[in-house]
Amino acid sequence: MTVTTLIREPAAKTRAGAKASPMAEVKTINLALQGGGAHGAFTWGVLDRLLEDERIAFEGISATSAGAMNAAVAAFGLATGGREGARQALANFWRRVSHLGDFSPLQPSLIDRFMGNRHLENSPAYVAFDMMTRLLSPYQFNPVNYNPLREVLTQVVDFAALSRHACPVKLFLSATNVRTGKVKVFGNDEINADAVLASSCLPFLFRAVEIEGESYWDGGYMGNPAIFPLIYGCESRDVAIVHINPLERREMPVTAAEILNRINEISFNSSLMREMRAIHFVTGLIESSVECLHQLKHMLIHGVSAETEMAGLSVASKLSADWAFLTELKEVGRATAEAWIGDHFDALGLRSTIDIEVTYL
């Protein structure tokens, strides 16, 4: 089944491409973007739709891995060309990622292409690559430390435009310090290609990224994404979390690949769940009117997700840069954001639109 068959109908009350009239209320939110390899094209679609709606402004973006790439590219576009600039920058980035895939041996098999399946499980090259990464480290199979995404990032993003004085949005990109096991959050003035690659450095695929004498792995291990920078660094109380990794799966994983994928999903979601537990606790205290708690910040949490659609994607598809697959994921993201805007725009600034206890605890 292809992704396009899973796109949900947008909410009827949402007007596509809504513009802010002179009297329309503009609501400012923060975004928290998860990582997930090629599945980050879903987030591309979400951002593309949110950027169309001028009633929604963005104060901060906390992101990791593929989310960090989306965040850096979108912020660069906003800084240099406004909303349309951000949409164009995102399209350019993902198109270049697809071009890289054209030269990759990781391609769907002929049978998969005929069946409309753009996953990679039946690709001989993927099977061989998967076995290699289980037996050899990237220090062995990639001695020159080549990362093709570095070139894509430097072609699409002028990182000087992300500095705090130039960029209209606050960026917080998370990486995991290999030596200390602590989270490192890179702010606007610290973000360059190395910082983005550090946030997305999967240790089975790439060498740790070294920055100022420290080595970093994917930020998903410590924050996927981290919420605390948005709490302490932004005025807006609204945080919209764009989910890529499913929180729940109905079917029990039984194959080695499925088990490993579910372990990664659980570990990458665990840090987010811990932060949600803390937010839920503080929210309960605030709502109980306990004295001396008036200075605490009552966060409003929202979730933008397509659990069924994303759970239907295999772990191998995270490495698929097939343009048709990426654009299908984008359209799923756009449709999901369209429905979210229609259902929850009026709640922004007033209340959370997900039950934290039910969803995360």
Side-chain angles (χ1 to χ4, degrees), residues 141-181:
F141 68 74
N142 186 10
V144 298
N145 197 24
Y146 173 65
N147 188 333
L149 290 173
R150 178 182 296 277
E151 184 177 354
V152 172
L153 285 169
T154 55
Q155 289 174 341
V156 174
V157 179
D158 177 1
F159 287 95
L162 301 184
S163 63
R164 193 67 197 97
H165 75 277
C167 186
V169 66
K170 300 174 184 176
L171 287 179
F172 308 96
L173 307 186
S174 298
T176 302
N177 187 307
V178 179
R179 182 179 60 84
T180 66

Side-chain angles (χ1 to χ4, degrees), residues 5-183:
T5 62
L6 299 174
I7 296 177
R8 295 177 294 180
E9 290 296 324
K13 63 180 180 180
T14 302
R15 190 162 47 86
K19 302 293 184 181
S21 68
M23 299 299 293
E25 181 182 5
V26 176
K27 299 188 177 183
T28 301
I29 67 173
N30 300 307
L31 296 173
L33 311 181
Q34 285 194 327
H39 294 180
F42 168 81
T43 302
W44 167 29
V46 172
L47 294 175
D48 189 71
R49 178 60 188 91
L50 294 178
L51 287 162
E52 281 185 347
D53 198 319
E54 295 182 1
R55 300 172 302 165
I56 300 175
F58 312 100
E59 181 181 3
I61 305 177
S62 179
T64 189
S65 200
M69 295 188 182
N70 276 318
V73 173
F76 163 72
L78 283 169
T80 57
R83 291 173 178 267
E84 286 304 312
R87 296 181 65 207
Q88 186 60 53
L90 285 165
N92 289 343
F93 171 76
W94 284 101
R95 190 56 171 165
R96 289 177 182 270
V97 169
S98 177
H99 287 162
L100 281 178
D102 292 339
F103 300 97
S104 169
L106 302 180
Q107 300 287 342
S109 68
L110 292 177
I111 295 177
D112 286 329
R113 289 186 183 278
F114 178 76
M115 297 296 294
N117 174 19
R118 295 184 176 88
H119 299 182
L120 298 173
E121 287 87 345
N122 298 320
S123 165
Y126 171 77
V127 173
F129 179 74
D130 185 52
M131 291 181 61
M132 180 179 66
T133 58
R134 295 171 190 263
L135 296 174
L136 302 175
S137 83
Y139 294 85
Q140 295 169 308
F141 68 74
N142 186 10
V144 298
N145 197 24
Y146 173 65
N147 188 333
L149 290 173
R150 178 182 296 277
E151 184 177 354
V152 172
L153 285 169
T154 55
Q155 289 174 341
V156 174
V157 179
D158 177 1
F159 287 95
L162 301 184
S163 63
R164 193 67 197 97
H165 75 277
C167 186
V169 66
K170 300 174 184 176
L171 287 179
F172 308 96
L173 307 186
S174 298
T176 302
N177 187 307
V178 179
R179 182 179 60 84
T180 66
K182 297 178 181 179
V183 63

Side-chain angles (χ1 to χ4, degrees), residues 275-324:
E275 287 196 279
M276 288 298 105
R277 184 177 297 277
I279 290 172
H280 179 67
F281 175 73
V282 172
T283 298
L285 291 177
I286 294 173
E287 293 178 346
S288 66
S289 300
V290 176
E291 292 184 7
C292 302
L293 293 177
H294 62 280
Q295 295 181 339
L296 296 178
K297 194 172 183 179
H298 186 175
M299 300 303 295
L300 307 178
I301 306 299
H302 315 277
V304 184
S305 64
E307 284 275 314
T308 301
E309 292 87 337
M310 301 310 289
L313 301 176
S314 69
V315 59
S317 65
K318 291 181 179 180
L319 296 177
S320 175
D322 179 81
W323 180 243

Side-chain angles (χ1 to χ4, degrees), residues 196-254:
V196 178
L197 293 175
S199 180
S200 57
C201 178
L202 290 172
F204 297 107
L205 300 181
F206 303 107
R207 294 185 181 191
V209 178
E210 294 188 7
I211 301 175
E212 297 183 353
E214 294 288 356
S215 298
Y216 296 98
W217 282 341
D218 195 295
Y221 296 108
M222 295 304 296
N224 193 29
I227 305 300
F228 71 88
L230 301 174
I231 298 175
Y232 298 119
C234 298
E235 294 296 324
S236 173
R237 297 187 299 153
D238 290 275
V239 177
I241 304 171
V242 181
H243 289 274
I244 291 181
N245 300 302
L247 293 171
E248 298 183 7
R249 284 191 178 272
R250 295 181 180 179
E251 298 181 358
M252 182 69 184
V254 292

